[in-house]
Amino acid sequence: MAMSENTKPGLFVGLLVVVCVVITVSIIVTRDPVPQPEPLFSQPYEYVCQDVTGSGPRCVKVVRTDDSNGTSLNVCKLTCGERRLIWPYPVSVEGMGTEMSRFIPINVMYGDISSHSTQIQDFIKENWEAFKGNLEMIHPDYVTNGVGEWTTSDTYNKFKVYVNFIIKTGVSTISRTTIESYSLNISSTAERSTVTIEAITYFGARHGLETFSQLLNYDAENNCLQMINSLGRIYDEPFFRHRGLSLDTSRNYIPVKSIKKTIDAMAANKLNYFHWHITDTHSFPFKMESWPQMHEYGAYSPRQVYSHKDVSEIVRYGNVRGVKVYPELDSPAHIGNGWQWGPTQELGTLAVCVNQEPWQSYCVEPPCGQLNIANPRIYDVLASVYKELADAFSPVQYFHFGGDEVSIDCWNSSAEIRDWMSAKYDNVTKDSYFDEWANFHSRSMEIFENVTGITDVKGILWTSSLTEAGMAAKYLDPEKFIIQIWTYQNNNDSLGDVEDIASKGFELIITNADAWYLDCGVGAWVGNGFNWCSPYKPWQTVYDNNPLLMVSPEYRDKIIGGEAALWTEQADAQTLDSKLWPRGAALAERLWSNPNGTWADAELRMILHRQRLVERGIAAERLQPQWCFENEGLCYIL
Ligand SMILES: *[C@@H]1O[C@H](CO)[C@@H](O)[C@H](O)[C@H]1NC(C)=O
Ligand SMILES: *[C@@H]1O[C@H](CO)[C@@H](O)[C@H](O)[C@H]1NC(C)=O
Ligand SMILES: *[C@@H]1O[C@H](CO)[C@@H](O)[C@H](O)[C@H]1NC(C)=O
Ligand SMILES: *[C@@H]1O[C@H](CO)[C@@H](O)[C@H](O)[C@H]1NC(C)=O
Ligand SMILES: *[C@@H]1O[C@H](CO)[C@@H](O)[C@H](O)[C@H]1NC(C)=O
Ligand SMILES: *[C@@H]1O[C@H](CO)[C@@H](O)[C@H](O)[C@H]1NC(C)=O
Ligand SMILES: *[C@@H]1O[C@H](CO)[C@@H](O)[C@H](O)[C@H]1NC(C)=O
């Protein structure tokens, strides 16, 4: 007994040793040498820059005639013609050289920034890290390994690139009046290139750095980066001041990480407004501190929520990248799940028709739900929601109140609302309901101002029955509200009259569904066939959609810009990138440059820019076979 007790530990240790040896051996056995890639073969091609068709210089792929290395595709792309690199295209480009500087990311530095406030210095540093990250990602091994080994050649790994920022003001948040212009130049010696970016604000300088990041690419011959090393001057500023994307996180939840990636891609395109349609009837993912019942009842699950911290982190992340993040609380329709708990707190019914069937009778898509306008306690709850959203999204200058697709039949199906209406109106008609709908918006706006103390906020509302021909000014105050147009470009959709709205003095954000709805063109999700706004809006349609054409010339100054919208009935994090990009880039050039030309003039740059987004980890939709990328100008039908 004793003996066996003595032997047991020994046996145990022995076993351990054996096990360890076996493990060690197996580690040694299974740890294959790092797989060496097959050596790359060289191809017999080079590229020459020629104007073959008379429509401008292009990179033409030819078979090499001697043993010299010739011009690579990437060098050709950097040097062949000026109008090919930068997206969106700048106002002016002067004196762009064709010589390269070759370098590795570690040797790119910024000059002295100590004269700026610590806040601006912090922004520059954080944005710089993002920029350096993008440089690393250009290495072709980065995608598979998450790292790329750069050249060991002394010539290239000693070369320095300095970026100097000259920023004239300390402006540190984006507002309606933020000046986004910048200028940029480049000069070089044998040892260094100097890039100078001058701007009125940090946000202009950030755009300038983005432009610089588009003047370089990978040099496969030398395994380093190469950049255009002389540039007289780029001057640039946006055509429209409001250039945005609207994303719905209620139909389906979008994780914080994916929202940040979307902001990265927006920054790469100089888009500056992220319109966060954070709640809707389907779910209420904003985590409320005053009324936790909202997300307890309304979120899809405890993990599918956005805390105040998440939101303010996204707001800060956007600001550093030149993107203002602003919220939408759609109401009085497009609410429902998250508002069912009123009776449990003795607040009465806050929302009517919630998840009501048959949905076709009370709303435009399942599930239904609208605020109970007969219950004054909804304004107490709204006050809390406004306060918390305003805090999380601080600083707030735009607040989107939604205001679309109210169903009179839903309201009128509630006995409580019918009685309340009868007490107010002798003869309750559809118009009486419209009056109450409009009152709801004025009162909500006043409560927003009262509870947040923000008096210069601009409310935004979607076009709706309230903005139909001749009605907008009757129901809404143009000093308080901006109207976001989702009505079709052809202007004969029953939902609104853009010209009338503009003529009454409202500012407009254009999001016409026939060009700038990015969810169109898939199978239906209720019933069969295609979804309601089919067909798919290709990048060409997005690009050619000129907002100015929606009103007559005298009202064009009312159009402050536009947004593309992604409603997420049929999208989530899995498909987000390919739905948004590169079509969001087509939108960006329309809004930044408002080019006179059509998509056909932009095609080569678009293909290149899509490639750039992919290199940065954005899963942008492919537009053409790679053959077209290598054989520029030969994929045409004109
Ligand atoms: C580049 O721009 C800076 C500031 O705008 C200017 O001071 C400098 O002279 C310019 N350099 C060249 C080489 O044009
Ligand atoms: C041509 O390219 C190869 C690598 O592809 C490189 O080793 C060689 O130095 C280059 N030759 C010249 C003349 O640049
Ligand atoms: C109520 O209003 C409707 C629509 O305006 C009208 O047709 C009807 O005559 C009115 N009824 C009364 C009792 O005033
Ligand atoms: C509201 O519903 C009642 C019946 O419950 C109906 O008589 C009335 O016409 C409806 N009003 C409107 C404006 O739809
Ligand atoms: C907003 O505050 C003003 C001033 O205190 C008050 O008169 C008004 O009733 C408030 N509005 C609402 C809708 O509560
Ligand atoms: C709207 O106008 C366009 C062009 O004039 C026309 O083709 C289309 O049929 C009209 N649509 C409707 C719904 O009236
Ligand atoms: C478009 O054309 C107008 C008028 O010819 C011109 O002033 C403007 O600079 C052009 N815009 C672009 C982006 O080329």
Side-chain angles (χ1 to χ4, degrees):
M1 200 61 187
M3 189 169 164
S4 68
E5 268 177 359
N6 278 342
T7 55
K8 261 186 192 162
L11 186 62
F12 186 60
V13 170
L15 272 175
L16 261 185
V17 170
V18 171
V19 168
C20 289
V21 167
V22 169
I23 288 172
T24 314
V25 166
S26 73
I27 285 170
I28 289 166
V29 169
T30 56
R31 191 198 284 151
D32 290 334
V34 176
Q36 289 301 311
E38 292 270 320
L40 300 175
F41 59 90
S42 64
Q43 290 191 287
Y45 302 115
E46 63 175 323
Y47 290 81
V48 290
C49 181
Q50 281 176 358
D51 186 353
V52 185
T53 58
S55 57
R58 306 207 156 152
C59 294
V60 179
K61 187 174 185 175
V62 296
V63 173
R64 273 205 307 259
T65 51
D66 59 33
D67 285 342
S68 73
N69 280 341
T71 305
S72 69
L73 177 59
N74 270 3
V75 168
C76 189
K77 296 254 180 202
L78 282 178
T79 55
C80 183
E82 285 189 348
R83 285 198 72 93
R84 56 181 41 245
L85 292 175
I86 307 163
W87 190 286
Y89 203 73
V91 171
S92 69
V93 178
E94 290 158 23
M96 179 129 80
T98 55
E99 298 296 315
M100 299 292 121
S101 289
R102 297 198 160 84
F103 61 100
I104 59 175
I106 196 172
N107 288 329
V108 187
M109 284 150 275
Y110 53 83
D112 184 10
I113 57 168
S114 60
S115 64
H116 303 298
S117 71
T118 48
Q119 192 173 32
I120 298 292
Q121 290 185 38
D122 288 347
F123 289 179
I124 292 174
K125 287 176 194 161
E126 183 173 340
N127 190 55
W128 186 260
E129 288 312 308
F131 163 76
K132 293 286 285 284
N134 289 337
L135 294 186
E136 291 288 347
M137 289 164 89
I138 293 175
H139 198 290
D141 292 340
Y142 189 93
V143 177
T144 40
N145 297 347
V147 62
E149 303 284 347
W150 297 95
T151 187
T152 51
S153 143
D154 264 5
T155 318
Y156 307 125
N157 71 19
K158 286 200 172 132
F159 193 89
K160 303 272 192 280
V161 178
Y162 290 95
V163 179
N164 294 322
F165 295 103
I166 304 171
I167 302 173
K168 306 276 185 182
T169 66
V171 172
S172 61
T173 56
I174 303 166
S175 74
R176 285 190 282 275
T177 53
T178 300
I179 298 169
E180 295 177 275
S181 62
Y182 67 90
S183 64
L184 182 157
N185 63 29
I186 303 175
S187 58
S188 299
T189 66
E191 291 87 35
R192 62 149 72 180
S193 285
T194 307
V195 179
T196 304
I197 296 170
E198 185 176 332
I200 312 283
T201 65
Y202 162 76
F203 303 102
R206 196 220 68 84
H207 291 326
L209 185 63
E210 181 53 49
T211 296
F212 170 55
S213 78
Q214 301 188 357
L215 298 176
L216 51 88
N217 66 21
Y218 181 69
D219 174 14
E221 227 108 277
N222 303 297
N223 188 25
C224 61
L225 289 170
Q226 56 194 354
M227 62 176 263
I228 289 174
N229 77 4
S230 68
L231 171 66
R233 186 171 190 253
I234 287 178
Y235 174 76
D236 205 5
E237 62 183 17
F239 189 93
F240 289 106
R241 68 178 148 95
H242 189 105
R243 308 175 306 280
L245 278 185
S246 163
L247 182 66
D248 163 14
T249 60
S250 170
R251 268 52 177 247
N252 278 305
Y253 178 80
I254 308 288
V256 170
K257 199 173 112 201
S258 304
I259 293 178
K260 286 186 174 174
K261 198 167 160 203
T262 298
I263 289 172
D264 292 339
M266 289 178 72
N269 289 284
K270 302 189 176 85
L271 288 170
N272 66 344
Y273 279 93
F274 179 76
H275 164 182
W276 191 349
H277 184 93
I278 191 166
T279 68
D280 207 292
T281 324
H282 305 66
S283 75
F284 191 100
F286 178 62
K287 223 171 153 190
M288 289 279 298
E289 285 165 7
S290 52
W291 293 110
Q293 293 87 346
M294 301 290 295
H295 58 267
E296 286 165 10
Y297 279 74
Y300 280 132
S301 79
R303 291 177 205 277
Q304 290 167 298
V305 286
Y306 308 104
S307 65
H308 280 233
K309 193 161 154 285
D310 292 334
V311 171
S312 48
E313 170 60 19
I314 288 170
V315 170
R316 196 202 55 79
Y317 190 89
N319 196 62
V320 170
R321 287 156 184 79
V323 178
K324 177 82 187 166
V325 180
Y326 76 96
E328 175 177 357
L329 179 79
D330 204 344
S331 60
H334 289 283
I335 59 99
N337 289 289
W339 292 84
Q340 308 99 317
W341 50 273
T344 70
Q345 301 297 312
E346 286 161 10
L347 292 180
T349 302
L350 299 173
V352 294
C353 309
V354 180
N355 302 338
Q356 181 112 343
E357 292 291 337
W359 64 265
Q360 287 94 331
S361 304
Y362 308 105
C363 59
V364 293
E365 74 176 55
C368 300
Q370 277 176 202
L371 287 175
N372 178 8
I373 42 170
N375 179 1
R377 304 303 299 270
I378 59 170
Y379 295 102
D380 300 339
V381 179
L382 281 172
S384 303
V385 182
Y386 292 149
K387 178 81 176 86
E388 291 198 26
L389 284 173
D391 285 349
F393 282 86
S394 173
V396 167
Q397 56 153 196
Y398 286 140
F399 191 92
H400 206 306
F401 290 86
D404 56 323
E405 298 182 322
V406 166
S407 160
I408 301 303
D409 289 341
C410 164
W411 273 340
N412 196 49
S413 72
S414 148
E416 185 184 350
I417 294 180
R418 274 200 313 274
D419 292 348
W420 180 75
M421 289 296 286
S422 303
K424 275 189 113 165
Y425 296 86
D426 292 338
N427 183 12
V428 179
T429 62
K430 224 173 169 157
D431 281 348
S432 340
Y433 274 109
F434 283 171
D435 287 343
E436 287 307 320
W437 174 5
N439 288 345
F440 169 84
H441 285 309
S442 323
R443 189 162 171 186
S444 302
M445 172 56 106
E446 206 176 303
I447 284 171
F448 183 95
E449 291 174 343
N450 278 4
V451 75
T452 61
I454 308 169
T455 50
D456 60 348
V457 69
K458 278 273 191 181
I460 306 179
L461 291 170
W462 294 103
T463 35
S464 71
S465 304
L466 292 189
T467 62
E468 266 179 43
M471 287 304 173
K474 173 182 170 201
Y475 289 123
L476 303 165
D477 178 357
E479 294 299 310
K480 298 261 178 215
F481 292 104
I482 294 171
I483 307 297
Q484 185 162 13
I485 309 290
W486 63 279
T487 316
Y488 282 15
Q489 163 90 288
N490 66 32
N491 214 358
N492 55 5
D493 188 74
S494 66
L495 276 168
D497 183 338
V498 184
E499 179 83 2
D500 171 66
I501 299 169
S503 74
K504 297 289 165 22
F506 290 93
E507 288 184 322
L508 307 180
I509 295 170
I510 304 301
T511 305
N512 51 311
D514 53 346
W516 286 354
Y517 268 28
L518 302 182
D519 51 314
C520 308
V522 290
W525 64 279
V526 279
N528 59 13
F530 302 98
N531 72 344
W532 75 274
C533 60
S534 290
Y536 181 85
K537 313 305 173 208
W539 79 268
Q540 295 92 330
T541 302
V542 175
Y543 191 89
D544 286 351
N545 185 58
N546 183 348
L548 295 182
L549 301 181
M550 295 198 74
V551 294
S552 47
E554 57 186 307
Y555 301 126
R556 284 185 179 166
D557 65 343
K558 291 288 158 205
I559 297 177
I560 64 169
E563 294 179 357
L566 181 61
W567 305 104
T568 57
E569 284 92 346
Q570 294 167 285
D572 66 6
Q574 312 307 318
T575 52
L576 189 65
D577 282 7
S578 62
K579 297 247 184 206
L580 292 177
W581 313 104
R583 292 183 297 164
L587 170 91
E589 180 150 299
R590 173 53 59 197
L591 292 171
W592 179 276
S593 322
N594 199 30
N596 292 326
T598 68
W599 65 267
D601 305 307
E603 185 176 12
L604 294 182
R605 265 184 317 115
M606 170 50 99
I607 304 301
L608 184 69
H609 186 59
R610 181 264 170 192
Q611 187 69 23
R612 188 181 282 142
L613 293 176
V614 170
E615 281 165 5
R616 294 185 185 186
I618 310 297
E621 189 88 86
R622 186 103 213 182
L623 299 175
Q624 288 181 340
Q626 188 167 335
W627 187 87
C628 304
F629 188 66
E630 295 182 2
N631 293 271
E632 291 190 341
L634 299 187
C635 296
Y636 65 92
I637 199 170
L638 300 171

